[in-house]
């Protein structure tokens, strides 16, 4: 039996933070929209979101998907949001209320057990803005944050995973990579990492699988 992995590598949006789909009610309140106005639900209702299906089929990119949703939502409030970051920065408030409690618990468990932590994101600061990190003190627990906002190398490009491997000085086989996008999981598989395809509908189960690969038990209660 192989030894447990030593490094937890997390995507940010969808894995650490809740998806925009999960926070439609809060978004509608923030923007003064009627409840139920936002009906696109991505992975929570693929049949009802043809644009999401097109993205999953690689007919459009993830950034193109979100650019359309930003523009549509901006029009509902009489504003021009030509990029998804404008939308996200408008609705995400303090930041901490959109972080998954399961993520905080898993991060705490891994850190306490001496596992190393990294974030590998395609658009952390691009989507959220550089000031967003200051609202999330738990990010100080991470040994490395690789953000394609600056590297301009997006997953699933093999070089993206290499930034983590080289930056931490670990082997690919020592890493457990967690992402909600299958294309990025396939890229990590090709790079030699252990992977967990994160199910946004069942976050606790996904984190439990990641911790098991690290040789760790189920997470404790998330810290307040």
């Amino acid at each position: 039996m192989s030894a447990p992995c030593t490094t937890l590598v997390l995507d940010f949006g969808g894995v650490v933070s809740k998806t925009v789909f999960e926070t439609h009610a809060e978004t509608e309140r923030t923007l003064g929209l009627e409840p139920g106005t936002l009906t696109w639900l991505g992975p929570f209702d693929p049949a009802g979101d043809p644009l999401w299906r097109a993205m999953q089929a690689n007919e459009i990119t993830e950034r193109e998907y979100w650019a359309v949703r930003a523009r549509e939502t901006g029009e509902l409030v009489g504003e021009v949001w030509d990029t998804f970051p404008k939308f996200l920065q408008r609705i995400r408030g303090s930041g901490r209320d959109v972080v998954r409690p399961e993520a905080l618990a898993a991060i705490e468990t891994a850190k306490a057990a001496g596992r190393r932590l990294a974030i590998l994101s395609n658009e952390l600061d691009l989507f959220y803005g550089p000031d967003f990190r200051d609202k999330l003190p738990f990010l100080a627990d991470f040994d490395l944050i690789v953000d394609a906002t600056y590297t301009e190398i997006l997953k699933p490009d093999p070089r993206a995973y290499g930034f983590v491997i080289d930056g931490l000085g670990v082997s690919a086989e020592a890493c457990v990579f967690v992402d909600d996008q299958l294309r990025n999981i396939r890229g990590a598989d090709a790079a030699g990492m252990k992977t967990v395809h994160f199910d946004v509908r069942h976050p606790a189960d996904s984190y439990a699988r990641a911790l098991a690969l690290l040789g760790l038990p189920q997470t404790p209660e998330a810290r307040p």
Side-chain angles (χ1 to χ4, degrees), residues 20-32:
V20 171
F21 310 108
E22 294 169 82
T23 57
H24 274 346
E26 291 85 347
T27 297
E28 289 162 349
R29 286 194 292 270
T30 297
L31 300 179

Side-chain angles (χ1 to χ4, degrees), residues 11-201:
D11 178 37
F12 189 83
V15 173
V16 175
S17 70
K18 298 175 185 177
T19 66
V20 171
F21 310 108
E22 294 169 82
T23 57
H24 274 346
E26 291 85 347
T27 297
E28 289 162 349
R29 286 194 292 270
T30 297
L31 300 179
L33 299 173
E34 290 294 321
T37 298
L38 302 177
T39 58
W40 38 273
L41 292 169
F44 296 92
D45 181 20
D49 192 339
L51 194 64
W52 177 263
R53 297 199 307 274
M55 190 266 282
Q56 293 298 310
N58 291 319
E59 295 170 7
I60 62 171
T61 67
E62 187 175 9
R63 290 185 179 183
E64 287 170 334
Y65 175 89
W66 287 115
V68 170
R69 294 309 184 202
R71 184 177 67 251
E72 292 174 343
T73 308
E75 290 172 352
L76 293 173
V77 294
E79 298 179 17
V80 177
W81 298 344
D82 53 358
T83 64
F84 183 61
K86 288 185 179 180
F87 173 38
L88 201 60
Q89 293 165 28
R90 172 78 179 271
I91 67 173
R92 286 270 136 144
S94 65
R96 190 172 176 85
D97 57 345
V98 302
V99 173
R100 295 190 186 282
E102 299 89 352
L104 294 176
I107 291 164
E108 182 173 314
T109 296
K111 187 72 173 181
R115 304 301 190 264
R116 304 188 76 183
L117 296 165
I119 284 175
L120 178 57
S121 172
N122 276 356
E123 57 273 307
L124 176 55
D125 286 0
L126 175 67
F127 276 11
Y128 291 86
D131 295 338
F132 187 74
R133 296 195 198 189
D134 296 335
K135 302 173 182 178
L136 305 175
F138 69 88
L139 290 180
D141 290 340
F142 282 80
D143 301 286
L144 179 67
I145 297 177
V146 177
D147 183 0
T149 301
Y150 307 106
T151 68
E152 299 183 350
I153 305 297
L154 279 66
K155 300 169 291 184
D157 189 308
R159 292 173 293 174
Y161 309 96
F163 288 136
V164 173
I165 295 165
D166 295 340
L168 292 178
V170 298
S171 67
E173 295 78 12
C175 297
V176 177
F177 175 70
V178 185
D179 198 296
D180 61 319
Q181 293 298 320
L182 184 57
R183 72 189 75 181
N184 298 335
I185 289 294
R186 289 172 175 159
D189 284 334
M193 293 179 171
K194 302 293 192 302
T195 58
V196 173
H197 185 197
F198 191 86
D199 187 343
V200 295
R201 300 164 301 175

